[in-house]
Amino acid sequence: MPTYVVTGAARGIGLGLVTQLLDAGQTVVAAIRSATPSEGLSKLASTHTSQLFILQCDLASADSVKAFGQELAKKISSVDVLINNAGICTIPEDETPSNLQPRIITEQFNINVIGTLLVTDAVEPLFHAGTKIINISSFMASMETVLSMAMENGTSYGISKAALNMLTVNQALHYTECIVVAIDPGTVATDMNPEGESTVADCAAKMLAVESRLKIEDTGSFLSLEGTKRPW
Ligand SMILES: NC(=O)c1ccc[n+]([C@@H]2O[C@H](COP(=O)([O-])OP(=O)(O)OC[C@H]3O[C@@H](n4cnc5c(N)ncnc54)[C@H](OP(=O)(O)O)[C@@H]3O)[C@@H](O)[C@H]2O)c1
């Protein structure tokens, strides 16, 4: 059975992915920010004792991510799929390109981009030919979408996810034997986006369906939940 690593697994889309992967019998490493698992993850741990490993991994701390990589190597010998799901989104109501707050841009860049690249580096020793790396992006990263929808709000978050897309392309060029993609989950009802259109369960199911169909030719792509190419 393949082994998955999912970051930001305590709640939201990450927890939904872990739930469905465990139900499908996969081995899952749930990487979480805090030292204590969430209630949802604890419940899963009590029913899937041999399949689930819970490890702390705070993307805001290079030391935490490094320690995560070391602990991971003690638990498992290879990673088939890394889902870089952990992320933050801060969109001040009045945010426009003319009043952006450097602190808010920096915080999101640190977690969504630098955190993701640190995790990928930490997991790299366990990659093999064919390992899939999925970076959870956003429609707000798409320059074409933002232009066509004339979206002015969400600039700082969009900047971080657009940078994540560029990281994805560079990772695809670097990890030549792996399949590296960015996926836009659409809008999903979670703490991050209570108004989201789809459910976590629906999003997780579609994302895992896309993951299962990924081929080496897909590397470097930005994909929708249907597996079609999204405009950059
Ligand atoms: N929901 C949407 O509509 C939507 C749309 C487009 C893209 N996305 C992306 O989808 C991903 C998941 O979002 P979500 O909707 O599930 O959000 P969520 O419910 O807010 O969950 C975010 C997860 O990321 C974790 N996280 C935050 N900071 C972290 C850090 N420093 N280190 C490790 N983990 C950290 C959180 O951990 P804690 O529980 O410990 O805080 C939580 O588990 C994100 O990358 C997000 O940008 C979501």
Side-chain angles (χ1 to χ4, degrees), residues 33 56-71 114-115 118-119 122:
R33 177 172 61 89
Q56 188 174 13
C57 179
D58 179 356
L59 272 65
S61 157
D63 287 345
S64 170
V65 177
K66 192 176 167 196
F68 162 74
Q70 289 163 348
E71 283 306 304
I114 297 176
L118 291 176
V119 169

Side-chain angles (χ1 to χ4, degrees), residues 84-96:
N84 281 314
N85 162 77
I88 56 169
C89 173
T90 310
I91 306 181
E93 239 173 57
D94 60 348
E95 184 183 68
T96 70

Side-chain angles (χ1 to χ4, degrees), residues 60-136:
S61 157
D63 287 345
S64 170
V65 177
K66 192 176 167 196
F68 162 74
Q70 289 163 348
E71 283 306 304
L72 184 68
K74 290 181 196 162
K75 305 278 180 213
I76 55 173
S77 55
S78 71
V79 170
D80 299 290
V81 184
L82 166 63
I83 305 184
N84 281 314
N85 162 77
I88 56 169
C89 173
T90 310
I91 306 181
E93 239 173 57
D94 60 348
E95 184 183 68
T96 70
S98 66
N99 67 6
L100 293 178
Q101 299 177 46
R103 180 185 58 80
I104 289 181
I105 299 179
T106 308
E107 269 172 14
Q108 292 179 95
F109 196 88
N110 277 345
I111 304 300
N112 297 346
V113 187
I114 297 176
T116 300
L117 81 85
L118 291 176
V119 169
T120 310
D121 282 353
V123 181
E124 179 183 1
L126 302 182
F127 290 167
H128 57 78
T131 290
K132 298 169 187 173
I133 303 162
I134 297 175
N135 295 329
I136 307 300

Side-chain angles (χ1 to χ4, degrees), residues 211-231:
E211 178 274 310
S212 70
R213 296 194 301 267
L214 286 176
K215 299 198 167 42
I216 192 72
E217 305 84 84
D218 297 314
T219 200
S221 300
F222 180 27
L223 302 172
S224 71
L225 275 191
E226 276 63 50
T228 54
K229 290 207 174 176
R230 294 280 284 119

